[in-house]
Amino acid sequence: MDHTLTIGDTRFFVRTEGEGSPLLLVHGFPLDHHMWDAVIPQLAAKHLVIAPDLRGFGKSEGHVEIAPMELLADDLASLLNALEVTAPITFCGLSMGGYIGWQMWRRHSDRLARLIQLDTRAAADSEVQARARGVNAEHVLANGMSEVPQAMLPKLLSEKTIENQPQVADSLRDIILRQDPRAAAAAQRGMAQRPDVTNWLPEISLPTLVLCGSDDGISPPAEMQAFTGKIPGAQFLEIPNAGHMVPMEDPNATVKAILEFSSRAN
Ligand code: MLT
C-alpha cells in the first residue's frame, strides 16, 4: 500500500506491505525505496515491511541544503508515529541508510528491536572524501543527475553483476536518474559531516546483523567485519559475488539472511 504522509509541512512517500513485526527498509544514496523492490514480496510474507523515500528522494518532498543523518533519523521516527507503528522495529539500512541506522540507535533506541546494517561504514569520511562530496554536490546542482550513473554504477555493482545481470544495472540507473539533484546534494553534504560512530559500537546491545557483498569496494568486507567485531554478539555475513547493492544483486541471499536473523530468538 502506498502512503503520502505529512510531517510538519513536508510530504513523505512510504510503501508498506505485509503483516507481522515491523521491518523498516532504509535506502542508500542516491536512490529511493525501489532499490528494495526485489526483496519486498518475500519479506512481506513474514513482516510488515515499511519502505520510505527519504527526505527529497523518490516521491518525498522536503528539500534542505544539508541533510544531516540525525535529521533523516528523526524523519523516520516521525513516519513511524504517523503510521501508528508502536511495536519495536527491525531497522534495516543500506549504506547511507546504515549511517542513519547508527543515528536511529542513538536518538530513538526505544523504537528498535533489532538492527541490520548492509554495506555501510562506521567511520566518518576522510577529509579528501568529504571535500569530494562538496564538489559532487555542486556538480549535480549545476548539471543534474545525467552523469551520475556512469560514475557510480561501477562502484555500486560487482563486475559480475554488470556482466551477468544487465537488468540490475538498468534498474539502478533508472532509479538514480529519477532523483532530484537537490536531494542528492543535501545528502552528500549531510554524509560529509557525519560523525565517526566507532566508539558507539560496544554500547549497542540490540541483536545486530551486518551484511556485506564480497566485492563491495565502498564499504569493503574487511572494514565491515572489523566494525561488526566491536558490536557485542553481532553477526557478520558476506554475500559472494555481490558488490555494494546486495539486495538488488542477490535478493534471495539477502532475504534468507534477513529472515533467518529476524526469526531467531534474541
Ligand atoms: C550509498 O550507497 O548510500 C553511498 O555509497 C553512501 C556513501 O556515499 O557513502
Side-chain angles (χ1 to χ4, degrees):
M1 184 177 177
D2 290 350
H3 311 256
T4 303
L5 301 170
T6 303
I7 311 287
D9 55 5
T10 302
R11 287 194 304 180
F12 287 87
F13 173 89
V14 185
R15 175 158 293 167
T16 61
E17 224 172 290
E19 281 173 26
S21 61
L23 172 63
L24 179 65
L25 302 179
V26 183
H27 64 78
F29 170 89
L31 307 171
D32 62 27
H33 76 279
H34 284 292
M35 65 148 280
W36 304 106
D37 282 354
V39 295
I40 286 179
Q42 289 181 76
L43 294 174
K46 298 274 180 204
H47 289 281
L48 166 61
V49 173
I50 305 165
D53 287 343
L54 292 168
R55 176 178 286 271
F57 289 98
K59 294 189 192 134
S60 288
E61 301 171 347
H63 293 291
V64 285
E65 209 166 308
I66 304 177
M69 301 300 104
E70 292 86 341
L71 170 68
L72 301 180
D74 292 351
D75 284 343
L76 293 174
S78 300
L79 288 176
L80 292 173
N81 289 340
L83 287 166
E84 298 181 359
V85 172
T86 51
I89 60 158
T90 297
F91 181 102
C92 174
L94 180 132
S95 199
M96 180 175 75
Y99 308 154
I100 299 166
W102 305 129
Q103 295 299 335
M104 200 73 189
W105 172 79
R106 191 66 168 184
R107 300 165 76 82
H108 303 285
S109 62
D110 55 322
R111 312 300 308 239
L112 302 183
R114 291 167 189 268
L115 187 60
I116 305 177
Q117 295 285 62
L118 308 187
D119 299 281
T120 195
R121 309 187 65 206
D125 280 354
S126 67
E127 244 174 71
V128 173
Q129 287 166 328
R131 218 173 310 121
R133 289 195 197 273
V135 173
N136 289 339
E138 294 305 322
H139 188 83
V140 290
L141 287 174
N143 302 294
M145 299 300 285
S146 61
E147 293 169 25
V148 178
Q150 201 183 343
M152 284 197 77
L153 254 56
K155 296 185 195 151
L156 293 175
L157 300 173
S158 79
E159 276 177 28
K160 291 166 205 117
T161 302
I162 292 175
E163 202 175 305
N164 303 328
Q165 303 187 79
Q167 73 286 1
V168 170
D170 290 346
S171 303
L172 191 54
R173 183 180 299 107
D174 290 347
I175 297 174
I176 293 173
L177 289 174
R178 281 202 301 269
Q179 302 311 315
D180 190 314
R182 290 173 295 172
Q188 284 281 28
R189 293 173 180 142
M191 288 190 286
Q193 66 176 45
R194 75 186 194 281
D196 183 328
V197 304
T198 309
N199 288 341
W200 301 0
L201 304 179
E203 292 172 46
I204 297 180
S205 56
L206 296 169
T208 300
L209 171 67
V210 177
L211 275 187
C212 181
S214 61
D215 302 346
D216 185 346
I218 298 176
S219 38
E223 179 182 329
M224 291 193 68
Q225 191 159 16
F227 82 63
T228 307
K230 295 187 163 52
I231 304 174
Q235 182 194 353
F236 175 78
L237 204 60
E238 191 171 312
I239 307 289
N241 301 322
H244 189 63
M245 295 304 304
V246 161
M248 295 181 75
E249 299 182 71
D250 195 340
N252 289 334
T254 305
V255 166
K256 185 167 180 282
I258 291 175
L259 292 184
E260 276 178 12
F261 172 71
S262 67
S263 65
R264 220 182 307 142
N266 288 351

Coordinates of all heavy atoms in Angstrom, one line a residue, residues 28-29 94-97 99 133 152 156 188 191 194 218 244-245, ligand 1:
G28 N 19.7 3.5 0.2 CA 21.0 4.2 0.1 C 20.9 5.4 -0.8 O 19.9 5.9 -1.2
F29 N 22.1 5.9 -1.2 CA 22.3 7.1 -1.9 C 22.7 6.8 -3.4 O 23.6 6.0 -3.5 CB 23.4 8.0 -1.2 CG 23.8 9.2 -2.0 CD1 23.2 10.4 -1.9 CD2 24.9 9.1 -2.9 CE1 23.6 11.5 -2.6 CE2 25.3 10.2 -3.7 CZ 24.6 11.4 -3.5
L94 N 20.8 0.4 4.2 CA 21.9 0.1 3.3 C 22.7 1.4 3.1 O 22.2 2.4 2.7 CB 21.4 -0.4 1.9 CG 22.6 -0.7 0.9 CD1 22.4 -2.1 0.3 CD2 22.8 0.4 -0.1
S95 N 24.0 1.3 3.4 CA 25.0 2.3 3.2 C 24.5 3.6 3.8 O 24.6 3.7 5.0 CB 25.2 2.5 1.7 OG 26.4 3.2 1.5
M96 N 24.1 4.7 3.1 CA 23.6 5.9 3.8 C 22.4 5.5 4.7 O 22.3 6.1 5.8 CB 23.1 6.9 2.7 CG 22.5 8.2 3.4 SD 22.1 9.4 2.2 CE 20.5 8.8 1.5
G97 N 21.6 4.5 4.3 CA 20.6 4.0 5.2 C 21.2 3.5 6.5 O 20.6 3.6 7.6
Y99 N 24.1 4.6 7.8 CA 24.6 5.8 8.6 C 23.4 6.3 9.4 O 23.6 6.8 10.5 CB 25.1 6.9 7.7 CG 26.2 6.6 6.6 CD1 26.3 7.3 5.5 CD2 27.0 5.5 6.8 CE1 27.3 7.0 4.5 CE2 28.0 5.2 5.8 CZ 28.1 6.0 4.7 OH 29.0 5.7 3.7
R133 N 32.7 15.2 -1.8 CA 31.2 15.2 -1.7 C 30.7 16.6 -2.0 O 29.7 16.8 -2.6 CB 30.8 14.8 -0.4 CG 30.9 13.3 -0.1 CD 30.1 12.9 1.1 NE 30.4 11.6 1.7 CZ 29.9 10.5 1.3 NH1 29.0 10.4 0.3 NH2 30.2 9.3 1.9
M152 N 28.8 6.2 -10.9 CA 28.6 5.4 -9.7 C 28.4 3.9 -9.9 O 28.7 3.1 -9.1 CB 27.4 6.0 -9.0 CG 27.7 7.2 -8.2 SD 26.4 7.6 -6.9 CE 26.8 6.4 -5.6
L156 N 29.0 0.7 -7.4 CA 27.8 0.2 -6.7 C 27.6 -1.3 -6.9 O 27.1 -2.0 -6.1 CB 26.6 0.9 -7.0 CG 26.5 2.4 -6.6 CD1 25.2 3.1 -7.1 CD2 26.5 2.5 -5.1
Q188 N 24.7 14.4 0.1 CA 26.2 14.4 0.1 C 26.8 15.3 1.2 O 27.7 14.9 1.9 CB 26.7 15.0 -1.3 CG 26.6 14.1 -2.4 CD 27.7 13.0 -2.5 OE1 28.2 12.6 -1.5 NE2 28.0 12.5 -3.7
M191 N 26.2 13.5 4.5 CA 27.1 12.4 4.8 C 28.5 12.9 5.1 O 29.3 12.3 5.9 CB 27.1 11.5 3.6 CG 25.8 10.7 3.4 SD 25.9 9.4 2.2 CE 25.8 10.3 0.7
R194 N 28.9 13.6 8.7 CA 28.5 12.6 9.7 C 29.7 12.2 10.6 O 30.8 12.2 10.2 CB 27.9 11.3 9.0 CG 29.0 10.4 8.4 CD 28.4 9.3 7.6 NE 29.4 8.3 7.3 CZ 30.3 8.4 6.3 NH1 30.4 9.5 5.6 NH2 31.2 7.4 6.2
I218 N 33.1 0.1 -1.7 CA 32.8 1.3 -1.0 C 32.8 1.1 0.5 O 33.4 1.8 1.3 CB 31.3 1.9 -1.3 CG1 31.3 2.2 -2.8 CG2 31.0 3.1 -0.5 CD1 29.9 2.7 -3.3
H244 N 28.1 -3.5 -3.7 CA 27.6 -2.6 -2.7 C 26.1 -2.8 -2.5 O 25.5 -2.4 -1.5 CB 28.0 -1.2 -3.0 CG 27.7 -0.2 -2.0 ND1 28.4 -0.2 -0.7 CD2 27.0 0.9 -2.0 CE1 28.0 0.9 -0.1 NE2 27.1 1.6 -0.8
M245 N 25.4 -3.2 -3.6 CA 23.9 -3.2 -3.7 C 23.4 -4.6 -3.5 O 22.6 -5.1 -4.3 CB 23.5 -2.6 -5.0 CG 23.8 -1.2 -5.3 SD 23.2 -0.1 -4.0 CE 21.5 -0.4 -4.0
Ligands
MLT1 C1 25.3 4.7 -0.5 O1 25.2 3.7 -1.2 O2 24.3 5.1 0.2 C2 26.5 5.5 -0.7 O3 27.5 4.8 -1.3 C3 27.0 6.1 0.6 C4 28.2 6.9 0.5 O4 28.3 7.7 -0.4 O5 29.0 6.9 1.5

